[in-house]
Amino acid sequence: MQVLTLVPVLALLLALAFIKLLKPKTARPNLPPGSFGWPVIGESLEFLRCQRGGHPEKFVRDRMSRYNSPIFKTSLLGERMAVLCGPAGNKFLFSNEGKKVALWWPSSVGKLMGRCLVSKAGDEARLDKKMLMSFFNPEALMRSVGVIDEFTKDHLRTQWEGKDRLEAYSTLKQHTFSLACRLFMSITDPQIVSRLADHFHVFLRGVVGLPLDVPGTSFYQSKKAANSIRKELRVLVKWRRTELERKTASPSQDIMSHLIANGDENGKLMPEAEIINNMLNLLFAGHDTSTSTLVLIIKYLSELPHVLEKVIAEQREIAASKARGELLQWGDLQKMRYSWNAILEVMRMTAPIYGSFREALVDFTYEGYTIPKGWKLHWSACSTHTDRNYHPRTLTFDESRFEGSGPAPYTYVPFGGGPRMCLGLEFARAELLVFFHNLVIGFHWSLVNPDEKIIYDPMPIPVKGLPIRLRPRD
């Protein structure tokens, strides 16, 4: 009896096996070499450890060597990811924006930033960027150079003069954030600026990382700070809207007014929540990388007196051409060629961002390997900038790399590239050069801790705040 009952079961199993043999086999994708690491956390801990150790390029460089490949797979921040290395990888990702790939940020960024330019794609992102570009193009910045110069002179007069020592990082962070509030929102009230700055200090700690919304975690604290920032910005937006209605403010006076008063190509106004999110994003992007770069300029130039002397000579020549009390103008920045080359080399030696992320919109093939749709992609500025194949004597500071046509395309990418290139590039250039001019004209400085370590968190920062000794320059 038992044998009889087994016959139908065996027959069914044989039939299923036969069907499986006849079914065409689906080819497994030829994935890049690499490892997904530990369950859930993948290789995130080592990725973050390299950043905190001050060598984010090490994560990429070690795997390029291990797998002998310009592309490898990994798992970071809870996502399966392919890392495309070097200029070829940069070119592929930048030139395929909106075709094969789209901008992607870790879920922590999306949850904290909300719906804004960095979280949009396609036509929506293009329209937002077009609205913002009216304040970041050279024509608009020509009108802002004098404001930046006056603001910088006031900062140095009140925060630097008369001091024989200060902590450069925190002091510069205050300056760049206050300047962003002034230029982006016309906010000069020190109490408002201070409250926003305090919230941003907490907010930045959890922007890039694991989105663990649990009390005590960086993300939890960052989320609370973001809510506080939005509360402050909501009051400012309502206040500005009233000013615009009463015509006591101009739609063209700053970015916030422009976003409130102007619609897109179809005349549709931006929702208030998106205005607030975009302002949060701009305040974040508009001061943090600038702070890091200014600190690194101070650090590197203190160690390179031969470079600093050439910078001083160039800046003194420009200062001598100005009447007493006359502010810098756009044309003066164009004369700061050597100074700008020195800044570019600072950003090559220590990139202001370690890289960025994309998402595969379709299955595609790269270097003979299949990248499945939905996979995340990463490009690394740090590893490209320190690759001796593209930058000989990579550990040597050499500002002459940027003379003439400069580095080969896609080998130098501190501001990204393609349609997603940083829209604040020209603003950053003006801000950095104006500060650099006033700093070297007015002060001598030296490092208190010459061997102070720089880590990425997520931007490059000095672990002790870069304390410096000061004295006025004759």
Side-chain angles (χ1 to χ4, degrees), residues 244-464:
L244 290 168
E245 290 170 353
R246 294 175 178 172
K247 300 190 184 306
T248 57
S250 166
S252 61
Q253 74 181 43
D254 54 46
I255 298 175
M256 186 167 72
S257 300
H258 180 73
L259 294 180
I260 293 170
N262 295 282
D264 60 20
E265 294 173 345
N266 301 315
K268 183 181 178 182
L269 293 175
M270 184 177 289
E272 183 177 281
E274 287 190 27
I275 294 173
I276 292 168
N277 289 341
N278 274 308
M279 294 313 303
L280 186 156
N281 175 43
L282 287 168
L283 288 172
F284 162 59
H287 87 281
D288 219 46
T289 53
S290 297
T291 302
S292 295
T293 304
L294 286 172
V295 165
L296 291 167
I297 290 170
I298 290 173
K299 177 174 171 58
Y300 277 108
L301 270 293
S302 69
E303 301 165 348
L304 300 163
H306 64 289
V307 177
L308 181 56
E309 284 304 314
K310 291 181 182 179
V311 168
I312 293 170
E314 181 176 76
Q315 297 300 340
R316 279 180 171 166
E317 186 175 340
I318 292 168
S321 71
K322 311 296 289 183
R324 184 177 178 83
E326 183 183 359
L327 296 172
L328 292 171
Q329 299 299 323
W330 183 258
D332 297 314
L333 304 189
Q334 312 317 307
K335 300 173 185 176
M336 301 180 185
R337 295 186 182 90
Y338 182 85
S339 299
W340 183 237
N341 285 347
I343 293 173
L344 291 175
E345 179 67 347
V346 167
M347 291 191 287
R348 185 198 67 80
M349 296 283 286
T350 306
I353 60 168
Y354 55 80
S356 188
F357 302 93
R358 298 292 188 270
E359 180 176 13
L361 297 175
V362 295
D363 291 352
F364 65 82
T365 300
Y366 180 81
E367 290 288 331
Y369 298 107
T370 300
I371 307 300
K373 176 182 177 180
W375 269 40
K376 307 308 181 282
L377 310 155
H378 176 55
W379 61 270
S380 168
C382 295
S383 61
T384 305
H385 289 183
T386 55
D387 192 323
R388 61 176 58 90
N389 292 314
Y390 314 113
H391 304 283
R393 297 174 295 107
T394 184
L395 299 180
T396 300
F397 191 99
D398 182 4
E399 71 284 0
S400 68
R401 299 176 198 273
F402 298 93
E403 294 174 357
S405 58
Y410 303 103
T411 63
Y412 181 72
V413 288
F415 299 99
R420 285 289 182 173
M421 176 176 279
C422 175
L423 58 82
L425 189 159
E426 288 298 329
F427 167 71
R429 178 173 175 270
E431 181 181 22
L432 296 172
L433 285 172
V434 168
F435 191 92
F436 205 11
H437 169 83
N438 286 285
L439 176 67
V440 302
I441 291 296
F443 298 92
H444 290 277
W445 73 89
S446 61
L447 303 182
V448 173
N449 304 306
D451 298 324
E452 185 171 356
K453 190 175 182 179
I454 302 294
I455 64 171
Y456 278 76
D457 190 28
M459 314 306 182
I461 61 171
V463 294
K464 296 181 180 179

Side-chain angles (χ1 to χ4, degrees), residues 58-199:
K58 186 177 185 301
F59 181 86
V60 176
R61 193 68 51 71
D62 286 353
R63 284 153 182 77
M64 288 177 66
S65 175
R66 184 184 306 166
Y67 305 121
N68 191 28
S69 172
I71 178 175
F72 62 87
K73 68 174 182 280
T74 183
S75 176
L76 299 177
L77 306 172
E79 300 283 350
R80 291 192 169 191
M81 192 171 296
V83 179
L84 278 62
C85 310
N90 298 337
K91 180 180 181 180
F92 180 88
L93 293 176
F94 297 161
S95 60
N96 279 287
E97 178 71 34
K99 304 169 189 174
K100 296 180 179 179
V101 304
L103 182 69
W104 177 83
W105 286 105
S107 58
S108 57
V109 176
K111 290 177 180 178
L112 292 173
M113 294 291 187
R115 183 174 171 77
C116 62
L117 177 61
V118 299
S119 61
K120 291 182 178 181
D123 288 341
E124 284 190 320
R126 181 182 59 81
L127 290 173
D128 277 13
K129 188 170 185 178
K130 187 174 181 180
M131 290 184 71
L132 294 171
M133 273 306 297
S134 61
F135 278 87
F136 287 106
N137 59 38
E139 292 75 18
L141 286 169
M142 285 180 189
R143 302 188 293 270
S144 300
V145 173
V147 176
I148 297 172
D149 189 27
E150 185 174 35
F151 199 93
T152 301
K153 283 178 165 62
D154 183 66
H155 168 74
L156 290 172
R157 184 171 55 252
T158 58
Q159 303 298 320
W160 294 58
E161 285 185 10
K163 295 184 177 179
D164 57 10
R165 177 169 167 162
L166 58 76
E167 186 184 282
Y169 182 76
S170 59
T171 307
L172 288 170
K173 198 173 184 67
Q174 174 191 347
H175 167 65
T176 58
F177 187 78
S178 299
L179 179 59
C181 288
R182 166 66 181 83
L183 291 177
F184 299 169
M185 304 189 299
S186 300
I187 300 299
T188 57
D189 185 325
Q191 291 186 336
I192 296 175
V193 173
S194 179
R195 286 200 305 270
L196 283 170
D198 288 343
H199 293 318

